[in-house]
Structure formats: structure tokens, C-alpha cells
Amino acid sequence: MTQSTLREKAKSYLTLCYHELNKQDLFDERWSEVENSISKYGTYELLGFELDYGTKVAWRNSNKCIGRLFWRSMEVLDKRSLESTDDLFEALFEHINFAYNGGNIRSTISVFNAQKGIRIMNPQLLGFAAYKQKDGSIIGDPKHLRFTEECVKLGWKPKMGAFDVLPIVIYKEGKPMEWKEVPSNLISLVSIEHPNINAISDLKLKWYSTPIISNMTLEIGGIEFMASPFNGWYMGTEIGSRNLADEARYNLLPEVAKQMGLDIRDKNSLWKDRALVELNQAVLYSFRKAGVKIIDHHSASKQFMQFMRQEAKEGRDVTADWAWIVPPTSGSTTQVFHTEMEDVVLSPNYFYQETIWD
Ligand code: ARG
């Protein structure tokens, strides 16, 4: 990023931040400080409250997220002072534990130093391994086939289960990658049971409690935090309609349908649709039973509509990516389906990053 782009981005974010937080009287002094720092060092450091608010506005601007009604409630763990890899691992474990909160999941972000070339190699802090067998079939979550191979190269021992939690891998510029197993007392998996179809419970499916995305870059005022894992709580369809159901993921619909006694050769039987509904009900039922916070797609859609009204009241347009906001199942039964959205990318925001191995 050139100095003039950085200056522009910094000014635009600080203007927004000081305006929305009613700190306009402090702006001029702060801006001259930041400008000086950029000219002198080519960068600047966000103050604690600027970082804190930036993580929240970045969430508010996340066009693919249906859960944004709660954008103000992000818990921010400012870890910018950490240096050693051991301390980084400790902070990541702390994040998993703090966010889980005994099942009452808290939206949380940990922010690591932007200048130290720190990257977390996992797509999420919690995730399941995948193993390719001799006959070409895959055990586990195919999404992580490549990542699992890299873990094995680094010395992690494959366990050959369908729901093995992967180790965390940290990369610091110019150093070899380091990995650590997530301590088992921090891992909470939910066993998926159906309230009345025992055959679905018999599949012994599981999912983890907290989706903690760790491969996106948080950009605030031109500062790019490449290590800034963040989480919310699950919406049931993410697991029931995608992770367990997609053909490129666990691909379980044929098995679920067979367990339900449906004819999977007859497209008119809508066996996929029936299996999806039952799988989704099982996910919601099991998380609730286990005391782990989760939201169904109907409530999430309602909350998103409320978010749109709330933003309108504050004089802001909501930007959104319709294809992501509409739930993957029963779309037209939710109000978001019938709502027009504009997919304009604002800053601060969370951006995809390229994986290092590609
Ligand atoms: N869809 C991703 C998954 O199934 C998680 C994305 C973030 N989801 C959330 N509810 N905050 O793991």
C-alpha cells in the first residue's frame, strides 16, 4: 500500500470512528499525530478504542454475514503486544475458551500485531481433518484435505477418524511453521441426534461448537491484521445444509435418506429435501440439548431485517451479498429472500487472504 493510500484510508476510518463515537473534538490532534507517524515510519498504530470500534464496524460491513444485528457486541482481545509463538498459541487457546463460555458463545476477536508477519494457517481454529484412502475415498472433512496433508508433513500424526480436530499451525515470516494440538479440555463437540428418528442418531455425527475464522485479514484504516481470528455462533443450516450435506463436504444426504427409508433413485420423492430438513432439525435439537448457543435460519432472517431497520434509523445503508444472506435451505420462507440488497464493499472489513501453500 502506498503512503498516500494509507493516509487516505486512515483519514477516512478515523473520521468515521471519531464521528460515530462523538469524539470530534479530539480528531484534529489525533489526525496530525497519525499523519506524522505515516510520513516518518510509513505506518501508524491504532489506539485501543480505535481498534476496538474498527473490529465492530468491520463486522457491520461484512456483506456475507446474516448475524450483523449484534455488531456492537464483539468482544475484543487486543493481543498486539505478543511476540513469541508460545504466547500466540496460548492466546489462541484462550480465545477458544473465552468464546465458548460454557456454551453461551460470545462473539470474539483476537487481534495480533499487524507488523510482525504473523499468519494462522488454519481456515478456522477448530476444524476436522481429512484423509484420502487407497481407494480414493475420503474420511473426514474434504475441505481440509490439503491442510491435513501439510499438518502431517509438519509431523502431526493422522488419527483416521471422521471428526479429528486439527492442530493449530502458526507461521511467522522467515521462520518454519509451528504447530500445537488444541488441548482436549478446550474442545467441545456436539453429538448430532434427532429427536425422534433414531436412525439419524445412529450415524454418530458430530460438529464443533464454535466457528472461529482465522484466515481472513481485518483491515481498519489501512492497517491490515492478517492474524485476527474471530467468531460468532452457528446458524444451524451452516452445519445441516452445508458442512454435513454438500457433496464436496461430508456428503451425508444419501446416507441420511437411506436411514429414513427413502427411495434415493426417485428424484420425485424429494429424498434430498426430506433428508436436509431432518438433518437440520437434528443439528438445532442437538446444540440446544448440549446447551451450545445456535440460531435457526428463520430467527436469523428476522434479526437481519431488524438490523436493516436499525441501520436505516442511524442513516446508514446496509450493504449485503444476497446469495450469502439467504439461507441455503427454505430460502423463500424467509424475509431476506424477498429483500433487495446491494453488495458494495466498505471499509473497515474482513477480507479473504491467499493461502501460503498455493
Ligand atoms: N460457515 C462456516 C462453517 O460452517 C462458518 C462461518 C461463520 N459462521 C458464523 N456463524 N459466524 O464453519
Side-chain angles (χ1 to χ4, degrees), residues 124 208 211 213 232-235 238 243:
Q124 297 185 15
Y208 50 88
I213 295 182
W233 49 85
Y234 264 116
M235 177 164 87
E238 296 183 88
N243 303 346

